[in-house]
Amino acid sequence: MTGSPFTRRVLFGGAAALAGTAFLPPMASANAPAITDKVDWARYLGALDPVWKSVPTTFYQGPFLGNGGLGAAVYQAGDKRLSFKLGDSRVRDHQGTGGTLFGTARLPIGTLTLKTTGDVSDVDLRLSLWNAEVTGTITTTKGVLKIRAYVHAKRDVLVVSASVQSGSEAVAWTFAAAVAKSPRLDFKPAPSGLKTNPAATVSGTTCTQNLAVGGQTVTQWRLRAEPDGKTKTLLATVAHTFPGKTAGTVTGQTLDAAGALSEAQLAAEHQAWWNAFYPKSFVSIPDARLEGFYWIQLYKLASATRRDRPVLGTCGPWLEPTPWPGTWWNLNVQLEYWLLNATSHPELDSLTESLDHSRDALAQNVASQYRSDSMAIARTTQEDLKSGTAAQPGGDGDPEVGNLTWALHNAWLSYRHSMDDSVLRDLVFPLLRKAINYYLHFLAKDSGGVYHLPKTFSPEYASTKDCNYDLALIHWGCGTLLAANKRLELNDPLAAKWQDVLDHLVKPPQDAANGFWIGADKQLTSSHRHYSHLLWFYPLYRLDVTTSAANRTALTKSLDRWLGFTGAQQGYTFTGSGSMYAALGNGDKARTQLTALLDKYIQPNTMYKESGPVIETPLSGAQTVHDMLVQSWGGTIRVFPAVPSAWADTCVHNFRTEGAFLISAVRKAGKTQFIRVKSLAGEPCRIAPGGLSGPYEIRSLPGGGTIPFTQNADGTLQLTLAAGTDVVITTQGTDPELSIAPTTNPAKPYWGLP
């Protein structure tokens, strides 16, 4: 709204009194500067670094390194020497027999060991988050070594520099090849027909692992003396090729290129990438343990995947003993990637990229009669997304149908945080159209005109008709297709069908006493670690608990029922329920769930295990922190919607939301000081200014010109912001310092073995 400035006035009453009020700009106040970032990143992250004052002896204790493909886990592997266990998300078998679990499973590579002359007796190590490197000393019975290790951010090279500081120690390296077999074989017998891969051969500093059906993995390393005369630097790399056997050529080229640079040049390249990575967003909370955990998850995600690397598997690039040597699509993948949206890291989005370039495989995953118009994905794949034929609704066994649709919700979130319509038009819409088409083949109306779904499987619980897992995904999918069809002006001929399904889909099976059922003929009667039956509420937000008392009651009852059964609960039970409590605005409950997660499930280095490493749970714990601080579903940006009472001082900076807005906000002594909003795409902006007292004033940044807005009946503020517009919302008559700084300074490290 535009008009003449008017004299500033004090407005009384709550949201109802202000409902629908349009606010003309008051008289211009002093010029508002831009937001000042006072974060000393190296010092801030350094205070949160994991440290090791005793020797790590397992994967779950030690430092981990990676560049999205090549990974290394650092721990003592039984011989009183410190080892670097190599892994690579691109190394797998190609036989096919037994599928993801066996014939196409991820394969272990081997271990490089720092072969000290003495036994390792002590360490003093630090994993620098800022520089993504391990530094410190290793004490042995023969002396002390100083080391520095990292997996180069831009080159597939492990770099370890070591020098003798005292005693009679020496620097040498050995490599032990792993047996190239599926880790699943340590848990289950081999399927009939599974071939045994030949033994690896080591020649000098090259290990060659040929595969029974073609292709190979080559590990190569070189040790060079540095000009200072006492430092030796290991350069190691891994390459995998299929069907050809050219991996040795690749490793040689990689090491030649890295070897042409000095250690200082390699480190500078590596650090430049990581030092540019973190400052894209900032979150600080007055809980040092959780704050350190949060930033380690961002480090972990960037170590585990990049846009041009394979979609994340359950272990990331660190393959340890596990029954799950692949990628799981009924929860794991989805939870792994949420963290990247608010933090502005599309360069890590290998999920959306994989969906894009694997369209043919997604079509081949359904029975031949549906391939012309449908797509699906079964429970497990490797990076090619070939899952084998997905079971059909109503068919034999436990037909798990919704996994692709849920994965496309992640792609849709990536779109919503960028508002790049080409992503909606070229990727999300065409793939989602075919995922929903698969459901449309099986949905049927009853005599009353209500659509029902035959038996499908609610992940990790049971098969049932009108399964809530699938109904929620169908509802979201049809609604999203209709919105995209309108936005892109596609006039799709299926729009009427989507609307009909949306209007007449059976209501979620539930009862007043216990909340949501698994499906029409299956109640929740025992412990269930998965929240597959609650996707309606989170993460799809198809049932709004902020505007509907009935929805709020249903979620509360469902949470009580779900969490009331114990025995099968796991870590992501607590991250999912924490985010649902955040949707309810209950920050104290959300914090309780995260505290339980850290206390019961998270390992010393922030990894997580269920028979083997499972990477999604800690990453989704970081998303629960996001959900407590800022939410942006349903067209409303909610600032500090579920901040625990203990978090009196909290801040976010450049927190990206749906609609492509950057949010900065500071909370001090339990009160919000200001909210900064920058529009990146010119989308409509509705914001709930949590903890900020009215009446409000909105000014442009920099310059201080006032901005008109409307306050809605629910207390939200409606703004019209062109792309590039930067504004700050404050309480009228106040002039808070527009600066971002950490809210806490940890007195001691919490992670690692401090």
Side-chain angles (χ1 to χ4, degrees), residues 39 41 44 48 281-288 290-292 294-295 625-626 629 640 643 647-653 655 665-667 740-746:
V39 181
W41 281 95
Y44 168 71
L48 301 172
S281 67
F282 183 68
V283 165
S284 185
I285 55 178
D287 180 331
L290 186 56
E291 188 170 30
Y294 172 86
W295 285 102
V625 174
H626 284 176
L629 299 177
F640 299 144
V643 176
W647 294 2
D649 296 344
T650 307
C651 76
V652 296
H653 182 45
F655 190 105
V666 170
R667 175 181 168 95
I740 300 295
T743 62
T744 184
N745 184 19

Side-chain angles (χ1 to χ4, degrees), residues 168-182:
S168 58
E169 266 299 348
V171 176
W173 289 89
T174 61
F175 179 78
V179 178
K181 67 174 187 176
S182 168

Side-chain angles (χ1 to χ4, degrees), residues 574-597:
F574 293 84
T575 67
S577 58
S579 289
M580 290 180 215
Y581 282 123
L584 290 166
N586 193 333
D588 287 335
K589 276 275 198 177
R591 179 173 178 248
T592 296
Q593 298 306 92
L594 283 180
T595 299
L597 171 74

Side-chain angles (χ1 to χ4, degrees), residues 357-572:
H357 67 235
S358 299
R359 300 179 192 222
D360 290 345
L362 296 174
Q364 292 297 311
N365 289 341
V366 298
S368 58
Q369 64 267 37
Y370 304 116
R371 288 173 186 165
S372 64
D373 66 359
S374 299
M375 290 179 171
I377 198 164
R379 186 173 301 171
T380 65
T381 73
Q382 293 299 344
E383 83 287 347
D384 56 11
L385 308 198
K386 295 178 180 178
S387 68
T389 304
Q392 299 177 21
D396 295 335
D398 292 320
E400 194 171 278
V401 182
N403 300 336
L404 174 59
T405 306
W406 192 4
L408 287 168
H409 179 258
N410 283 63
W412 177 81
L413 285 174
S414 295
Y415 156 69
R416 284 288 297 160
H417 283 76
S418 71
M419 298 310 298
D420 180 350
D421 279 347
S422 67
V423 176
L424 182 64
R425 178 183 297 105
D426 300 335
L427 174 68
V428 176
F429 183 85
L431 269 64
L432 183 59
R433 188 180 191 273
K434 291 193 172 187
I436 294 300
N437 261 355
Y438 191 51
Y439 278 119
L440 296 183
H441 287 294
F442 305 98
L443 281 173
K445 277 186 176 180
D446 63 16
S447 59
V450 176
Y451 280 105
H452 293 273
L453 188 67
K455 181 189 74 170
T456 57
F457 185 68
S458 186
E460 307 209 336
Y461 200 79
S463 288
T464 174
K465 296 177 181 178
D466 291 338
C467 174
N468 264 320
Y469 175 72
D470 294 286
L471 293 180
L473 290 164
I474 292 168
H475 197 274
W476 170 78
C478 287
T480 300
L481 287 170
L482 285 166
N485 182 59
K486 181 178 179 180
R487 181 179 180 95
L488 301 174
E489 299 180 341
L490 298 176
N491 297 314
D492 195 287
L494 284 175
K497 179 68 172 181
W498 301 328
Q499 188 65 59
D500 188 47
V501 171
L502 203 61
D503 292 341
H504 300 101
L505 188 65
V506 63
K507 301 301 181 186
Q510 60 187 291
D511 66 61
N514 299 312
F516 274 40
W517 294 15
I518 300 299
D521 50 11
K522 188 67 178 178
Q523 297 187 47
L524 180 68
T525 57
S526 61
S527 188
H528 182 25
R529 63 180 179 174
H530 202 302
Y531 45 94
S532 52
H533 62 304
L534 299 180
L535 261 60
W536 285 99
F537 298 104
Y538 182 83
L540 302 181
Y541 295 109
R542 297 306 289 178
L543 298 175
D544 188 342
V545 298
T546 68
T547 60
S548 167
N551 290 343
R552 190 176 185 86
T553 298
L555 177 55
T556 301
K557 293 284 188 182
S558 298
L559 282 168
D560 289 346
R561 179 74 170 178
W562 175 41
L563 299 175
F565 294 109
T566 58
Q569 293 178 348
Q570 290 291 352
Y572 57 77

Side-chain angles (χ1 to χ4, degrees), residues 168-242:
S168 58
E169 266 299 348
V171 176
W173 289 89
T174 61
F175 179 78
V179 178
K181 67 174 187 176
S182 168
R184 180 81 171 185
L185 291 169
D186 292 330
F187 296 81
K188 298 290 183 180
S192 176
L194 185 70
K195 296 180 174 65
T196 299
N197 287 313
T201 60
V202 177
S203 176
T205 59
T206 300
C207 175
T208 301
Q209 174 65 69
N210 291 317
L211 300 178
V213 296
Q216 66 177 186
T217 303
V218 170
T219 305
Q220 190 174 358
W221 60 99
R222 297 175 187 174
L223 188 63
R224 73 182 186 192
E226 298 296 342
D228 65 4
K230 64 178 184 178
T231 302
K232 292 183 178 180
T233 298
L234 173 82
L235 302 177
T237 189
V238 176
H240 178 78
T241 56
F242 179 82

Side-chain angles (χ1 to χ4, degrees), residues 682-698:
E683 291 294 306
C685 181
R686 186 167 74 238
I687 187 164
L692 184 66
S693 301
Y696 305 108
E697 178 176 281
I698 303 180

